[in-house]
Amino acid sequence: MSLFFIVALPFFGALLPGLMNSAGRSACAGVTFSVSLAAFVGLLSHLPTILAGDVVMARVDWMPALGLNFTLMLDGLGFFFALLILGIGLLIIAYARQYLSRDDNMGQFFTYLLLFQGAMVGIVLSDNILLLLVFWELTSLSSFLLIGYWKHLPEGRQGARMALTVTGMGGLAMIGGMLILGQIAGSYDLSVILQNRDLIQADPLYVPALILILLGCFTKSAQFPFHFWLPHAMAAPTPVSAYLHSATMVKAGIFLMARMWPVLSGTPEWFVIVTTAGLITMVLGAVIALFKHDLKALLAFSTVSHLGLITMLLGTGTAFGAMAAMFHILNHATFKAALFMSAGIIDHEAHTRDIRRLGGLRKLMPITFMIASLAALSMAGIPLLNGFLSKEMMLEEATQTVLFNSPWLVPALATFGSLFSAAYCFRLIGHVFLGPVRDDYPAKPHDPGAGLWLPPAILVVLVVVIGIAPFLAEPFVKLVTASVLGDAAEVPKAYFKIWHGLVPALYMSMVAVVGGLIMLAIFKPSLRVWDALPRPEAKVIFEAIVHSVAMLAQKGIGAVHNGAFSRYAAIGAVAIVAAGYHAWVTGNVGAPTREVQAASPVAIAGWAMLVAAALGMVLLHRNRFLSLMLIGIVGLMVSIGFVFFSAPDLAMTQFTVEVVTIILLLLALNFLPNDTPVESTLWHRTRDSVVAVIGGLASFALAYHYLLRDAVTAPISQFHLANSYKGGGGTNVVNVILVDFRGFDTYGEIIVLGIAALLIYALTETLLNGPVRARLLNRKPDMKRAGNMHPMMMVVLTRGIMPFVLMVGFYIFLRGHNEPGGGFIAGLIVSIAVVMQYMASGFGWASARLRYPYHGVIGAGVLIAGLTGIGSWFVGKPFLTSDFTYVRIPPFEEFELATAALFDLGVFLSVVGAVMLSLESFSRLARRAHVEDSEHPMDIDPSRENTPQGDTAPLKEGV
């Protein structure tokens, strides 16, 4: 199965649980299980290749110029983590089916789970670091949804926000580090980066890149001082905790450290930072875990501790440490997922996770006792279970590690952490399962059905099998280790076995186990001491920091973002002028290479009219209607300027836009006062005038400078002129740019245009359905209206020119690829023709003859344009690449057929729909309660019998 398909399956499969939700809980879980199983089987299809030591690659170039390619790589490390993600994911899905109550939306839960699963698989299979970053952030977003799944719980919402904040901030730091790393290596592909160890470590930016990347890893894998978010994420349902904190999310940072190990490890900076953070996290997590009374909180801090253990092993920078880390990742995934699911079973049956309210469950829940005890003993490092083997390897590596010139520091802290690890494992068994049966459980505990205990039982079988026969796991672990080490080191020849003789690691392990039993025996006095000790609360500190940052941001924004547009404009203008002045003073300005041409009298007259209109707008801007007319004059003069400079496409576009805009703004002015009130003082107006004059002069100076000098680099217009016909099949370069070279921009613009029209419609609906409706309908005109609202001459004129305007629009549309025109201009021309029908006969008459809703016209335009772009994929071309050919249909001459015409049709429909929907929305607001909609196209019609006769007869007012 293709790697692309393996990654895509969970994302596409996420659509199914919601659809199957109404079919029943089993159907919903079944389809989710099937999707994960298909991806799991697809992954296993590559097992022979991986076992042979080969690497599977898949690549699709997306934006090669930016280094952004959809490149996937499956090696031993990627296969190992993908196996954990999909394999344990299958068990979690089966477990969640029985765990979630009938009140829980199972379709929503499994949708979130598959989205998270797909993001995790994407991380471990990505070969491009930019693609990896995309999946990285997707895990933060999808885990936010999973952790906050129980929205009714405040702690669930708070835990989700905390996890998203911490991991999101770390992700931002990691983006910077990855970009630096890609720049150093000259490529964003991991397969290239991993081959440049010496180049990267010799670069002066190695340390900044390392710190930024480690910030991302530490936040995601809950390493000190970012460990606090993980325990608060325990508010999520137990299946989420079991999945995120055993094999997936918290292992993402571990995975990335392992992936980057060949190029980042082996330096003093890596060793000190990673090893120290891992050791502190290991010890701190173990100590806190011992004194937690919530069963899931105990397991959460134990996860923090074991993640620190793995981080410390990777930090040592040795091949043996890397191999021990990979082995413990496997072991931790098995026993920790089993423990979380066991905790869920206890909570599900006993209705509490408080260890102080439990005890004696060994007799009431024997199956759960067996599963949880074996998993806990493995976590404690008891022989004949898999946790013992990797813990021994960790202790062996600790004895060989010298930190801060101290040969005993790492072994001592590792033993201390292992002691507390054993202590909380023994407490979990002793205080939850052993002891007498109680009579005050919140609910009568009993073993559940196989649907709940079978998934953790399968994992415990692996715990025992690997613990008894470690040689079964040795080849695979060494294969994974080889992928981690790359060319940086050789895989150690150490053997996986239970007995290594009387070595220091064995004595350290014995101290840890015996010390753990002693700590359990003195737990009550130790708890009193722990409770009496003053210690910082991470949650309080986090909330205080968030509050302080929010207050600081509010003060900063309040000083600048106060709602005064004049202040925004002034700040922006001053900043632009200052930046321009700095560039002018510090830059090199060459001598002019062009001469100033003599201006013709026509050009001078046009310039004078433009200046007069602009000055009139400034001086008379308080009269809204007059201001609008002056704005229209400015726009029309700009259109004439385009004509003067031989830019007919721009001139036609500017002219039609001005006409449509003026009509729509006239409708909007119908709801505003005639004059704008004075809202600013003389000082503010003087200040704004000075800033405006300086900004205008600076813009003039910049334009004048560029007009007198040749461009520093060759303008892109040369490329467009040379390739317009060859690449796009059109001689109208402007149109080819819009529909081909920059078709993606145009596609985005018509979408934005449609969204703007829909927002106007939505606001209109809100106003007409709210308390403002009565004021709109009962408003009185501020001046006497003409009795003849829809004069006969205008109706006759608009009906007569309608076919001609449509024909002109059709002609402009067809000629646009080779002559001035195109879909945008044609859409505006047709819109003007339709707008005039509304103006002539009113909203009621025109809307009654509307056959196609304007929403649908916008949607059809966007859909046609999008499908045209997608069509290029089927011939192996990028999105929106146009194609053309020439055909001859007798008796016509040979003519061109281009796919760009279909895209232009989408633009045409989107423009018509957006303009007309906006007009219709304003027209609906213009209706009044005492005025009835006329069913006739004009107010005076001699052919109607009920037409009032005589000039003095009352006329019916229409809208």
Side-chain angles (χ1 to χ4, degrees):
M1 183 183 291
S2 169
L3 297 184
F4 294 121
F5 199 57
I6 295 173
V7 174
L9 259 177
F11 289 110
F12 287 114
L15 301 172
L16 299 178
L19 298 176
M20 297 297 294
N21 209 19
S22 59
R25 296 161 57 83
S26 296
C28 187
V31 71
T32 308
F33 190 89
S34 300
V35 170
S36 293
L37 181 62
F40 184 74
V41 172
L43 180 71
L44 290 180
S45 66
H46 296 287
L47 180 59
T49 304
I50 299 302
L51 292 178
D54 296 328
V55 178
V56 182
M57 301 290 295
R59 181 184 184 92
V60 172
D61 290 338
W62 184 19
M63 297 180 183
L66 299 178
L68 182 55
N69 303 308
F70 204 94
T71 312
L72 301 178
M73 174 178 66
L74 181 64
D75 61 353
L77 180 63
F79 183 88
F80 173 46
F81 274 86
L83 193 70
L84 292 178
I85 294 164
L86 295 172
I88 294 182
L90 288 171
L91 298 178
I92 294 298
I93 293 168
Y95 178 84
R97 163 62 186 88
Q98 304 298 324
Y99 182 87
L100 296 177
S101 70
R102 295 191 177 275
D103 296 331
D104 296 322
N105 189 325
M106 191 166 286
Q108 188 180 82
F109 177 84
F110 283 128
T111 295
Y112 297 162
L113 189 72
L114 286 176
L115 287 174
F116 176 78
Q117 185 181 93
M120 280 300 306
V121 173
I123 286 178
V124 301
L125 296 190
S126 292
D127 181 51
N128 185 279
I129 57 176
L130 301 181
L131 181 64
L132 185 147
L133 290 172
V134 173
F135 287 122
W136 188 275
E137 296 305 323
L138 281 177
T139 60
S140 296
L141 294 174
S142 52
S143 64
F144 170 80
L145 297 173
L146 283 171
I147 295 170
Y149 173 73
W150 278 339
K151 307 175 187 64
H152 61 283
L153 298 179
E155 55 269 26
R157 300 193 299 270
Q158 185 183 58
R161 289 196 300 269
M162 186 181 293
L164 181 63
T165 302
V166 176
T167 60
M169 294 300 293
L172 291 176
M174 196 179 77
I175 290 174
M178 286 296 197
L179 292 176
I180 294 173
L181 199 64
Q183 289 297 312
I184 295 174
S187 173
Y188 292 112
D189 289 343
L190 277 169
S191 52
V192 177
I193 292 173
L194 296 179
Q195 303 300 319
N196 288 277
R197 174 187 176 95
D198 295 336
L199 175 66
I200 291 172
Q201 295 189 358
D203 194 278
L205 293 177
Y206 162 76
V207 174
L210 173 68
I211 293 174
L212 291 172
I213 292 172
L214 288 180
L215 279 174
C217 296
F218 287 175
T219 53
K220 188 73 84 172
S221 289
Q223 295 300 289
F224 179 85
F226 310 106
H227 62 285
F228 56 87
W229 70 263
L230 192 151
H232 289 284
M234 289 300 108
T238 297
V240 174
S241 303
Y243 196 39
L244 268 62
H245 305 140
S246 65
T248 53
M249 181 178 176
V250 294
K251 295 286 175 58
I254 298 293
F255 165 80
L256 191 60
M257 285 189 283
R259 176 61 80 195
M260 293 297 179
W261 194 92
V263 294
L264 297 182
S265 68
T267 63
E269 295 85 0
W270 169 276
F271 173 69
V272 172
I273 295 173
V274 179
T275 304
T276 303
L279 270 175
I280 294 174
T281 307
M282 175 186 174
V283 174
L284 185 64
V287 173
I288 297 175
L290 176 61
F291 299 104
K292 286 295 176 181
H293 302 301
D294 187 310
L295 194 53
K296 284 180 66 175
L298 184 152
L299 293 176
F301 278 103
S302 74
T303 299
V304 170
S305 177
H306 280 264
L307 291 172
L309 183 157
I310 299 169
T311 299
M312 183 267 291
L313 288 172
L314 290 172
T316 60
T318 66
F320 186 83
M323 184 172 69
M326 295 304 104
F327 193 26
H328 195 68
I329 290 171
L330 172 63
N331 296 336
H332 180 261
T334 55
F335 63 65
K336 186 53 63 70
L339 280 170
F340 268 116
M341 285 190 271
S342 299
I345 292 173
I346 295 171
D347 188 20
H348 192 271
E349 302 303 327
H351 293 184
T352 183
R353 299 196 308 262
D354 191 336
I355 298 177
R356 293 168 297 183
R357 303 188 65 185
L358 297 171
L361 297 185
R362 175 177 59 86
K363 298 178 180 179
L364 301 176
M365 306 176 68
I367 299 177
T368 306
F369 164 67
M370 183 63 65
I371 294 171
S373 296
L374 288 173
L377 290 173
S378 176
M379 185 163 62
I382 302 302
L384 301 183
L385 299 171
N386 62 357
F388 167 77
L389 301 169
S390 52
K391 188 193 72 170
E392 291 288 292
M393 296 174 70
M394 179 273 294
L395 295 174
E396 175 63 28
E397 178 67 13
T399 61
Q400 307 299 320
T401 303
V402 178
L403 181 63
F404 301 125
N405 297 320
S406 174
W408 58 266
L409 180 61
V410 175
L413 290 177
T415 304
F416 186 74
S418 298
L419 185 152
F420 274 86
S421 178
Y424 63 67
C425 291
F426 296 148
R427 186 193 174 206
L428 188 153
I429 298 173
H431 291 184
V432 174
F433 293 100
L434 302 182
V437 175
R438 303 174 60 156
D439 55 4
D440 59 346
Y441 301 114
K444 184 64 175 177
H446 60 84
D447 275 322
L452 280 177
W453 62 256
L454 186 57
I458 293 173
L459 293 171
V460 167
V461 169
L462 292 176
V463 167
V464 175
V465 170
I466 296 175
I468 295 176
F471 57 87
L472 296 176
E474 181 178 347
F476 182 72
V477 173
K478 288 188 173 181
L479 175 70
V480 175
T481 304
S483 298
V484 173
L485 301 178
D487 298 329
E490 295 291 332
V491 178
K493 300 190 181 300
Y495 296 103
F496 289 19
K497 53 186 180 180
I498 301 172
W499 177 253
H500 288 277
L502 299 175
V503 294
L506 179 63
Y507 296 120
M508 295 162 67
S509 182
M510 293 171 61
V511 170
V513 172
V514 174
L517 291 172
I518 295 173
M519 285 299 302
L520 180 63
I522 61 172
F523 175 75
K524 289 185 178 181
S526 300
L527 179 61
R528 287 193 293 270
V529 174
W530 174 261
D531 291 337
L533 287 175
R535 56 186 183 275
E537 180 59 44
K539 177 183 175 182
V540 176
I541 296 174
F542 172 79
E543 291 177 345
I545 293 174
V546 171
H547 178 72
S548 300
V549 171
M551 293 300 296
L552 181 63
Q554 287 180 358
K555 290 182 180 179
I557 293 173
V560 178
H561 192 78
N562 65 340
F565 177 77
S566 58
R567 176 173 295 188
Y568 307 154
I571 293 174
V574 170
I576 293 172
V577 170
Y581 177 76
H582 174 76
W584 181 273
V585 172
T586 59
N588 296 321
V589 182
T593 58
R594 303 173 185 171
E595 295 183 357
V596 178
Q597 299 179 359
S600 64
V602 175
I604 294 175
W607 176 82
M609 293 174 63
L610 184 63
V611 171
L615 289 175
M617 171 63 194
V618 173
L619 298 174
L620 305 173
H621 70 278
R622 300 201 183 280
N623 187 309
R624 287 193 168 106
F625 178 77
L626 187 57
S627 299
L628 185 57
M629 294 300 101
L630 291 172
I631 289 174
I633 293 173
V634 171
L636 293 177
M637 293 308 302
V638 171
S639 301
I640 295 173
F642 286 143
V643 173
F644 182 78
F645 289 110
S646 302
D649 274 287
L650 297 179
M652 294 170 64
T653 303
Q654 178 70 26
F655 180 81
T656 51
V657 166
E658 284 298 325
V659 173
V660 171
T661 303
I662 293 298
I663 293 173
L664 292 177
L665 288 178
L666 280 172
L667 280 170
L669 287 183
N670 191 39
F671 308 101
L672 296 173
N674 293 331
D675 298 319
T676 302
V678 178
E679 296 179 341
S680 56
T681 63
L682 179 62
W683 153 247
H684 286 101
R685 292 197 297 274
T686 304
R687 179 203 63 185
D688 296 343
S689 300
V690 171
V691 173
V693 169
I694 295 174
L697 291 175
S699 300
F700 164 76
L702 185 64
Y704 187 74
H705 161 75
Y706 274 106
L707 289 173
L708 290 181
R709 291 164 176 82
D710 293 329
V712 178
T713 59
I716 195 173
S717 57
Q718 295 180 2
F719 170 83
H720 291 150
L721 289 168
N723 293 275
S724 175
Y725 182 75
K726 293 189 301 181
T731 56
N732 180 5
V733 181
V734 174
N735 183 264
V736 174
I737 290 173
L738 293 176
V739 300
D740 192 318
F741 294 135
R742 300 190 65 179
F744 201 80
D745 288 349
T746 306
Y747 185 56
E749 288 164 4
I750 64 173
I751 292 175
V752 171
L753 184 63
I755 291 173
L758 292 172
L759 285 176
I760 293 174
Y761 174 80
L763 290 172
T764 303
E765 285 290 305
T766 303
L767 290 174
L768 292 178
N769 293 323
V772 184
R773 173 183 172 85
R775 294 181 58 188
L776 287 171
L777 293 177
N778 296 304
R779 72 188 186 280
K780 299 296 182 182
D782 54 356
M783 63 180 62
K784 189 175 181 180
R785 301 297 177 95
N788 192 2
M789 297 288 291
H790 309 300
M792 180 176 63
M793 290 301 297
M794 186 172 183
V795 172
V796 173
L797 180 63
T798 56
R799 298 295 189 277
I801 68 172
M802 178 78 169
F804 296 101
V805 177
L806 292 178
M807 183 175 64
V808 171
F810 185 65
Y811 171 69
I812 292 294
F813 173 80
L814 290 180
R815 77 196 295 262
H817 210 48
N818 294 292
E819 299 291 340
F824 190 84
I825 300 173
L828 290 172
I829 292 173
V830 171
S831 298
I832 293 172
V834 181
V835 165
M836 293 186 69
Q837 306 308 309
Y838 278 83
M839 294 173 62
S841 299
F843 170 76
W845 181 89
S847 60
R849 284 150 182 80
L850 178 64
R851 294 187 178 181
Y852 304 104
Y854 296 124
H855 312 75
V857 176
I858 297 173
V862 174
L863 185 62
I864 290 172
L867 291 176
T868 303
I870 292 174
S872 59
W873 289 348
F874 293 96
V875 292
K877 298 294 182 63
F879 182 66
L880 280 175
T881 302
S882 62
D883 200 0
F884 62 94
T885 187
Y886 290 89
V887 297
R888 178 181 177 84
I889 302 177
F892 303 105
E893 295 183 358
E894 186 179 67
F895 61 93
E896 180 186 6
L897 286 178
T899 58
L902 288 175
F903 181 78
D904 230 5
L905 176 62
V907 174
F908 169 82
L909 293 175
S910 299
V911 170
V912 173
V915 172
M916 297 313 302
L917 184 61
S918 302
L919 170 77
E920 184 184 53
S921 300
F922 284 129
S923 300
R924 293 173 65 209
L925 289 175
R927 303 171 76 179
R928 297 195 299 278
H930 64 284
V931 179
E932 297 181 3
D933 290 334
S934 175
E935 62 182 6
H936 304 290
M938 63 190 78
D939 294 324
I940 299 177
D941 187 350
S943 66
R944 296 209 311 263
E945 295 181 358
N946 61 346
T947 300
Q949 300 295 324
D951 296 335
T952 59
L955 298 177
K956 182 163 120 176
E957 189 178 18
V959 179

